[in-house]
Amino acid sequence: MIRHVVLSLAAVGLFAGRGAVAQTSPRIEVTPYAGYMVFGDFVKGPLGTSISNAGGALLGAQLGVAITPNVALVGNAARASGDINIGIPFLDGISVGSSSAWMFDGALQLSLPLPQRAFTPFVQLGAGAMRHEVKIGLSTDATNFVGTVGAGADFGLTRSIGLRVMA
């Protein structure tokens, strides 16, 4: 079974509206983001051999619609890709193919505005789907259900631009 971990560690966001942190309802936020996707191993063999999916850049966008100042519905779409490597002891991985993943989800975001308004911590909980495609000469793909959990903070840089850090 293939395990996937998505880390959107440095997500830079452009927010439409009056400000990233202190906005009045209703608001719509569009947040492009970048991160790193860590894929799991396909097979771990004897003596340190393996067939694994190398990690790669993750690019995506999030659309958020505020229901109240502290509750929003968000939708995400992201894509990541990487090489498929055969690991042999004492040698670097040998690339034998490629893989890509599309991720789509919807989530509920709960924010906790702080009195000083320097930043706003938040959590997200949602569900969606991941489409994973593998190419090694021939290609195959699979689409699976995913549950999502995220936590982070929004930092207002200007009235219309903010920085979002999320894992």
Side-chain angles (χ1 to χ4, degrees):
M1 175 175 240
I2 301 172
R3 294 180 304 157
H4 302 284
V5 176
V6 178
L7 301 175
S8 299
L9 294 176
V12 177
L14 300 175
F15 298 91
R18 295 178 49 198
V21 176
Q23 295 184 2
T24 58
S25 204
R27 71 175 193 255
I28 296 176
E29 298 174 348
V30 178
T31 311
Y33 59 87
Y36 190 76
M37 177 85 160
V38 179
F39 293 93
D41 291 332
F42 289 111
V43 177
K44 283 197 174 268
L47 304 172
T49 59
S50 66
I51 300 175
S52 63
N53 204 349
L58 172 79
L59 299 173
Q62 174 177 288
L63 174 66
V65 178
I67 298 171
T68 71
N70 300 328
V71 178
L73 293 175
V74 295
N76 287 286
R79 183 177 188 280
S81 62
D83 292 334
I84 296 174
N85 295 322
I86 295 178
I88 301 172
F90 308 112
L91 297 175
D92 282 340
I94 299 168
S95 180
V96 294
S98 65
S99 72
S100 64
W102 277 98
M103 293 150 286
F104 303 95
D105 72 81
L108 184 65
Q109 177 177 296
L110 304 173
S111 301
L112 178 66
L114 299 176
Q116 71 270 18
R117 299 181 186 223
F119 70 97
T120 303
F122 65 88
V123 294
Q124 288 183 0
L125 180 62
M130 176 185 281
R131 180 171 181 82
H132 191 210
E133 183 174 330
V134 176
K135 294 181 183 178
I136 305 176
L138 301 173
S139 67
T140 186
D141 58 67
T143 303
N144 297 303
F145 171 83
V146 293
T148 59
V149 176
D154 288 332
F155 298 89
L157 302 177
T158 69
R159 291 181 60 81
S160 355
I161 297 175
L163 172 68
R164 169 167 280 191
V165 179
M166 180 175 170

